[in-house]
Amino acid sequence: RRPVTQINGSGFNKSLYGTPTRTPPQSPGKVIGHMSRFGTSKCTDEILKLIETLPPDYRIIIAGKDISGSFYSHQFYQMAETNPQVEMIGFLETPKEVSSFFNRIDVFLYPSIREGLPITLLESIYHKVPFLTTNVAGCIDISNSFGFPACAPEDFGTQDKHLRIDTWGTYTPRWNEILEDYTTAHVQKQFEAIFAQVATTHHPQSPST
């Protein structure tokens, strides 16, 4: 069997983003954020279910676009037109736009049924926003690292399972320390260690004489 080595994704580059300016909410209401490519693999149907049961003092800001077509985007835009609790801002083109999104929300929801290592969750941490994700590979690795809850994909649309956001805790400098393990500089060191190990354990055969 060949050995398998895990690394912390492709690396998170903090310099691409704006300065986090999020402050604790001044009212009892909460602003939820959801940013994703929409589709069944991203549990978008569960987000739609959640919107239907939002308490009156909650709002949700949605960013993204469909993986293919526009079925879900169309539904979100329609909801935003008729429901003052819903704001649909569409696909975000740049890291600075991503920063503006995170600076407006109090908690981030990111369900999925399959991931590598989602940079989106690291963006949430960088902007000091706690998140809820699903207990699937990639997502749950980051969730466990930062001590945040995770739930089964089929339970994500049941708001009473996870909208008690006040129990999640708030930002601490420890988040910054853990995030360093996922930065581009740290991932580069992981790759260099792998290359060094390969170089010392695998030698080319000498040519036949």
Side-chain angles (χ1 to χ4, degrees):
R1 297 174 58 184
R2 294 181 179 180
V4 175
T5 302
Q6 289 186 317
I7 60 171
N8 291 352
S10 56
F12 181 70
N13 188 349
K14 295 184 288 186
S15 67
L16 297 177
Y17 300 86
T19 303
T21 61
R22 174 182 172 273
T23 56
Q26 302 300 311
S27 66
K30 300 287 185 178
V31 181
I32 299 170
H34 173 62
M35 177 174 62
S36 182
R37 298 293 300 274
F38 309 138
T40 55
S41 65
K42 300 298 185 182
C43 304
T44 307
D45 291 299
E46 304 305 316
I47 295 294
L48 291 170
K49 292 178 186 177
L50 182 143
I51 291 174
E52 294 174 356
T53 59
L54 278 180
D57 57 343
Y58 282 68
R59 294 178 55 240
I60 185 167
I61 301 174
I62 301 166
K65 65 180 181 180
D66 289 59
I67 295 173
S68 62
S70 58
F71 175 78
Y72 290 109
S73 295
H74 182 65
Q75 291 194 65
F76 285 136
Y77 279 118
Q78 281 192 321
M79 285 183 168
E81 289 178 359
T82 59
N83 186 341
Q85 292 178 270
V86 180
E87 181 179 351
M88 170 61 170
I89 59 177
F91 183 70
L92 304 181
E93 298 282 352
T94 68
K96 296 297 174 64
E97 291 176 332
V98 170
S99 286
S100 296
F101 165 79
F102 278 108
N103 287 333
R104 296 180 58 198
I105 65 177
D106 303 317
V107 66
F108 181 61
L109 303 183
Y110 190 79
S112 182
I113 63 172
R114 57 178 178 270
E115 289 288 334
L117 191 143
I119 290 291
T120 311
L121 294 181
L122 301 179
E123 291 173 334
S124 184
I125 287 296
Y126 172 70
H127 292 91
K128 305 179 181 180
V129 178
F131 64 77
L132 175 71
T133 188
T134 38
N135 56 1
V136 299
C139 292
I140 198 167
D141 293 326
I142 298 181
S143 180
N144 288 340
S145 292
F146 290 93
F148 292 146
C151 64
E154 61 270 19
D155 292 336
F156 212 90
T158 308
Q159 65 90 4
D160 60 355
K161 289 184 179 292
H162 55 70
L163 280 186
R164 294 186 59 194
I165 300 170
D166 57 315
T167 66
W168 293 17
T170 55
Y171 166 79
T172 69
R174 178 66 177 147
W175 292 15
N176 297 340
E177 298 172 16
I178 301 171
L179 185 61
E180 287 300 311
D181 291 338
Y182 295 92
T183 60
T184 51
H186 184 80
V187 170
Q188 179 178 337
K189 290 179 180 178
Q190 289 182 310
F191 272 116
E192 290 172 349
I194 293 171
F195 296 152
Q197 183 179 17
V198 170
T200 56
T201 57
H202 296 276
H203 301 285
Q205 294 183 348
S206 300
S208 300
T209 56

